[in-house]
Amino acid sequence: MREMSAEDVIGLIDRSGLRGRGGAGFFTARKWREVRNAPGEVKYIICNGDEGDPGAFMDRMTLESYPFRVIEGMLIAAVATGATRGICYIRAEYPLAVSRVRAALETCGGAGYFGGRILGKGQEFSVELREGAGAFICGEESALIATLEGRRPTPSLRPPYPAHQGLHGYPTLVSNVETLAFVPWIVRHGPDAFAEIGTDRSRGTKVFALAGKVLRGGLIEVPMGTTVREIVEEIGGGVAEGRRLKAVQIGGPSGGCIPESLADLPVDYESLTEAGAMMGSGGFVVLDDRDCIVEMSRYFLSFTQIESCGKCTPCRVGTKQMLEILERLCEGRGSGEDIEVLERLAVTVKRNSLCGLGRTAPNPVLTSLKYFRDEFDAHINGKCPAKKCKALITYSIKEDCIGCTKCAQQCPAGAIGMKPYEVHEIDAVKCVRCGGCFDVCPVDAVEVN
Amino acid sequence: MARLRIDNVEVEVGAGATLLDAAAKAGAEIPTLCYTRQTGAQASCMVCVVKDAGSGRMLPACSAKAEDGMEVDTRGDEVAGLRRETLLMLLSEHVGDCEAPCTRICPASLDIPGLLRLMSGGDESGAARVAQRDLVFPATLCRVCGAPCEKGCRRAQYDAPVGIRACHAALGEGMPERAEGSGKTVGVIGAGLAGLSAAFTSLLRGHACRVYDEAPVACSSVRVRYAQQLPAEILDAEVESIRRMGAELMLGRAVDAAGVVSTCDAVIVACDAGAPVAANVFRADEHAMPARSVANGKAGARAAEAFLRGQQDQSSRRYNSVIGKLRPEEIHAYGVTRLVDDATSEAGRCLGCDCRKAVSCKLRQHADRYGIRGPVKRHMDRPAIAAIEVLGPVLFEPGKCVKCGICVELSRQSGGGLTFAGRGLDTRVELPPGGRISDDLAMRCAEACPTGALAVRAGEERP
Ligand SMILES: Cc1cc2nc3c(=O)[nH]c(=O)nc-3n(C[C@H](O)[C@H](O)[C@H](O)COP(=O)(O)O)c2cc1C
Ligand code: SF4
Ligand code: SF4
């Protein structure tokens, strides 16, 4: 590093093909060059560790376990971009990450890594730590900058991009934790070692938070281009015995749902976007045949709807309208035109929202509609094919019942009378459809319809 | 400097110009809500969306910068569709009435709250002019009308409806001003309530007017039907005042319809007789309900007026936002700042359910422009009613706020005042606890607010 010029560093990152891991996948070297070329006596680097996506925790893991990698990445980026000030912006709900990064920053400061002559160059750089303002939208770069300036966390139209006009109007590099953590590795091992992994346009590896109906979940790091099926089966150990893979939701609540029929899709930026999903934060939730697609769309949208900052009309109002329609469908109160209206609202929110939150919030709904439209139609007709939506199912006990009374002991609503050695019955009025009896019956005598 | 094409028109704009600036130069009119020159772009309403043909991206014209070589579409189907959908979303969130429920029910659309405000303010003759303008036969109608307006009166949910009919019955005579002469002549066939209402309304708009009828007296059928309630002198006096205003009454002679059509610029047929079909012939049917006859007459005159001025007849089909039924738990919030418990007059009991900006509201104008007919389906629960707040000379009605941010930005520029609170669907404009807003700033916010959310309390917009 001590021998390398800024141009050398940017060239190196360029050759590695590194793209931003914060969601959109912008080429990192191109962004660095923009910041380098933008005029400004002060330039900032912000490490985006706001990770507001539910179920994603790779940035947390990196910040807690490898804070030095991230700081090193920031130092290298500072040399490349000419930045003079750095900010580690960390989600306030990650106290351990905050304290570890704080300690790491102190260590680096004490060891002389910051100050007037970083990495042996005549350049000043230091890093301060700031805690996030506690909302998902604070991870969006223009809203993040607004909070640092003491304003309400609402996004603004880009362009101008932060690279040209960022914090306090100065050129600012906003980069994700994972992106920055890759940088020292690339410098140490050379760009080719990184570029060798992955696909033509998506190089290197990506960390996913594998969850849902797989035998083994957790954080996984895979080469870009690994197929959905490989991740589910080889890494996750497949879905449970007797169950069938139905779909995977990739990219968190802003991502999309990829059906089993497309499971051989390679996981890279372009393929995912084409299928209507996105890399997003790297959420990877596996669904099996007992998961209801309509209910999943409702669940994911309920997150983005709550997190909408409320600034622009389509996202503020449209997500709420969509959510209420999905709630009606799940409760069996859907009406004929609901699906058409839902689709129209989704397109408007996607096309006309101001920032990435609104522009991606409809993805789960749009992909579900694209690949599983018949399940939506079924809900209008009062049926939940996955037998999941409580308002649309009934539990009953077949003649196979051996009268063991386990179900009656289990039932929290007292809907099953205790009748040892007789065939039990469920009082449909009292039943709260928790499925407890279904799970405890030793002879599978409980039936869902 | 940037050179770009807006709807295929080439324009050149200075550095830093927005697509809105460029569109203005190209003569393309883009609807906006959240933009004013003083507050700049807020990029919140997203109604000004245009399409960047190059990237396929939809952009808010108010904040997107004009770039060299851009191809911008401001009126294609996709853009118009998105604007309409976005407006529908704003209207789904909108908790406010454009017109008061009583006015909506009144067959003749009397501006009841406006009239009652004038009355309680002591301007009896002003109130009489409103009654004359809207009802044409105010003295007649208050004797023969069943006052359906009072059934819609929201005050009934607190104590008793305002005695609307009695209020306007108590008014004396008042004649509105005629517009400047247009040089056009409107012929009306039929001198019943509908025909004379059409004639009166046409006169007000500045046209000359001739009324033809075979019967020797005007309004003969009403006279017969309401012989009990309606003294002849009352109706005679009202017919006489229409004549005095300039109507030429040609009664008691056979009517040559074809002749009327060929000698008048526009003709309104207000009788059962079949009339020639022509572009300048309009209808105004008599109705068993007298107030409806008046309404039909006014509508016929409006259609003729639009034809004579070469415009589209919009006024009768304006978008109407409606709150709908108040939920029991909302009744208090609705009325708390509207109720005048110590009203000294009946007119003073009015809650003022209408919108003070029913004419200038940009949301309503855009709804009309994009062909939205109300009331819209909300697809979600209607947001709850929040009480009107009094900000000195200005009223703030939160349900009508589109969260555009203009007043917040004006306040910021003035060093304090209104701010945003909450987020998502609960975003609201408020005076922060302990905060103050000067009368001057409140007035400027009311002026700039695109809807009736902030409105001058004493403001009246209906012409
Ligand atoms: C609603 C929303 C939330 C976001 N949250 C994060 C986040 O938590 N962390 C992150 O790195 N990027 C997040 N982003 C993306 C950032 O705006 C920005 O693109 C990213 O930090 C750039 O880093 P990269 O180039 O390394 O990907 C979010 C974007 C949106 C629209
Ligand atoms: S898209 Fe949603 S989160 Fe983004 S600015 Fe609009 S309301 Fe706020
Ligand atoms: S009250 Fe303020 S934010 Fe609301 S519509 Fe009016 S100007 Fe806009």
Side-chain angles (χ1 to χ4, degrees), chain A residues 20-22 31 48 50-52 139-141 174-176 179 356-357:
Chain A
R21 300 300 197 246
K31 210 166 174 179
N48 189 347
D50 198 52
E51 196 166 57
E140 195 282 336
E141 53 191 24
V174 182
S175 243
N176 167 258
T179 315
L357 193 154

Side-chain angles (χ1 to χ4, degrees), chain B residues 111-179:
Chain B
D111 176 10
I112 294 166
L115 176 141
L116 296 176
R117 277 194 291 273
L118 288 168
M119 272 185 94
S120 67
D123 184 358
E124 297 260 333
S125 58
R129 285 195 294 274
V130 169
Q132 178 70 42
R133 178 198 67 197
D134 289 350
L135 300 179
V136 188
F137 291 89
T140 300
L141 290 188
C142 69
R143 286 173 172 79
V144 302
C145 179
C149 55
E150 292 176 17
K151 301 199 176 61
C153 177
R154 289 232 170 89
R155 178 96 201 199
Q157 291 185 285
Y158 301 89
D159 37 32
V162 176
I164 298 167
R165 184 175 46 186
C167 281
H168 79 71
L171 290 169
E173 218 184 292
M175 268 297 151
E177 295 244 338
R178 279 188 73 181

Side-chain angles (χ1 to χ4, degrees), chain A residues 277-326:
Chain A
M278 62 174 212
M279 194 72 79
S281 55
F284 196 112
V285 181
V286 179
L287 311 178
D288 72 14
D289 52 353
R290 274 166 68 184
D291 289 310
C292 168
I293 286 292
V294 182
E295 149 62 22
M296 284 318 272
S297 318
R298 185 205 62 76
Y299 170 75
F300 286 117
L301 190 70
S302 69
F303 173 79
T304 32
Q305 190 272 323
I306 289 262
E307 293 295 337
S308 164
C309 82
K311 174 169 174 171
C312 73
T313 309
C315 174
R316 179 182 71 242
V317 186
T319 54
K320 178 67 176 168
Q321 293 174 305
M322 288 169 67
L323 183 63
E324 289 206 8
I325 291 178
L326 288 168

